[in-house]
Amino acid sequence: MSAVSPAPRIVPNQTLIGLTLAGMIVTAWLVLHIYGVYFHRWTAWSFVVAPLIVAIQTWLSVGLFIVAHDAMHGSLAPGRPRLNVALGSLALGLYAGFRFTPLRTAHHAHHAAPGTADDPDFHADAPRAFLAWFHGFFRTYFGWRELAVLTVLVFIAVFVLGAQVPNLLVFWAAPALLSALQLFTFGTWLPHRHTDDAFPDHHNARSSPFGPILSLLTCFHFGRHHEHHLTPWMPWWRLSRR
């Protein structure tokens, strides 16, 4: 793949566009989350609707992480580091109770040495194996601290706010786990896995061949991963044009 053409680091209204899109993702996620966890009632019709809600919520959960990812690179609100940290922390907190600073450190380590033993997102022992890699990826980012936070949140949701456990499992736990699998598949494993074809350069990354709609649905254009490594300062919605 040839190098992408030069692009400006910041475009007009980038902060306004980024914050508007982030607000839409967060708002939609909250609306579906509150409805599913606290108001959904199980009827014959609801069993038909529930899978659709889970699918949309899974995609929106991916979106929460991508919002935080742009905040890690400062591209969500260029030149406003405190705002990036605040919004990135909010998105990750809603997503799975993650902390922004450790994930930002790990992500920059990934960009510093992609596809090497020093890359926290890479599985050097089995660079083609999906399950082994996903297991290592999951353990890297979900530890005892995250489990403790989620346990407290579940306790509050059930015993303070009155959520039903089945609703929590279907409309919160399932989308969180499915979105982690989706992010790993389209944003880490497919771009960085080893194949018989060589990587285009030292970024050890390749891009998915999907068109704009499928690219958006799979990973908010994060599958255009080689372009992302070449231009990490570019927000997700600008990658759609690359």
Side-chain angles (χ1 to χ4, degrees), residues 26 57 69 114 118 163 206 228:
V26 170
Q57 192 71 334
H69 166 266
D118 295 325
R206 59 176 61 86
H228 168 60

Side-chain angles (χ1 to χ4, degrees), residues 129-141:
F130 181 89
L131 291 178
W133 194 337
F134 180 66
H135 178 258
F137 181 84
F138 191 84
R139 290 188 62 183
T140 296
Y141 293 105

Side-chain angles (χ1 to χ4, degrees), residues 4 7 10 35 55 100 107 113 117 125 147 159 178 188 197 201:
V4 296
I10 302 174
Y35 165 75
F100 180 80
H107 188 65
D125 294 336
L147 179 61
F159 296 104
L178 290 172
T188 297
D197 297 325
D201 55 31

